[in-house]
Amino acid sequence: MSALPLLKNPYKLHHHEFARLKLISQRLFLKDAGINFKEVRYAYDETWPKISKILQEQGVTRTGKVPALEYQGLILTQVCYNLFLLHLIGF
């Protein structure tokens, strides 16, 4: 099975707004590999505990923490999604 169809479908990169600069390498990697993705940013303020709980209930994160990469129901958190993306493009 070719990985190419996996590159065409949209991914969601969930993260805090303040982490945008920290995730620059992941965002550049996704763009460079031609992987379509949508950024979902969350404020890290007094609303975060409630949002974190909602994300846990939705299955976006087990721990209530982000970053996380979502693809068709598959949720990968932090370091795991880097390894997944490397494998996806053939490394």
Side-chain angles (χ1 to χ4, degrees):
M1 180 169 125
S2 171
L4 197 55
L6 293 175
L7 300 177
K8 300 290 182 193
N9 295 315
Y11 289 74
K12 287 185 186 176
L13 181 59
H14 298 264
H15 61 86
H16 294 296
E17 284 194 0
F18 73 83
R20 190 161 191 257
L21 290 175
K22 288 183 178 182
L23 293 172
I24 197 159
S25 60
Q26 286 88 347
R27 289 177 27 247
L28 288 174
F29 179 86
L30 289 164
K31 286 181 182 182
D32 233 24
I35 298 172
N36 297 321
F37 71 100
K38 175 185 172 188
E39 288 186 75
V40 182
R41 299 184 191 130
Y42 304 100
Y44 193 70
D45 56 16
E46 66 278 350
T47 63
W48 174 246
K50 184 177 179 181
I51 293 170
S52 175
K53 194 167 221 128
I54 291 169
L55 292 176
Q56 283 180 297
E57 290 168 1
Q58 292 175 346
V60 173
T61 174
R62 291 181 189 174
T63 62
K65 298 178 182 178
V66 289
L69 182 69
E70 180 181 357
Y71 175 75
Q72 294 185 344
L74 176 66
I75 307 290
L76 300 167
T77 56
Q78 301 176 353
V79 176
C80 296
Y81 66 75
N82 289 328
L83 297 173
F84 171 76
L85 292 171
L86 286 171
H87 176 73
L88 183 68
I89 64 167
F91 282 95

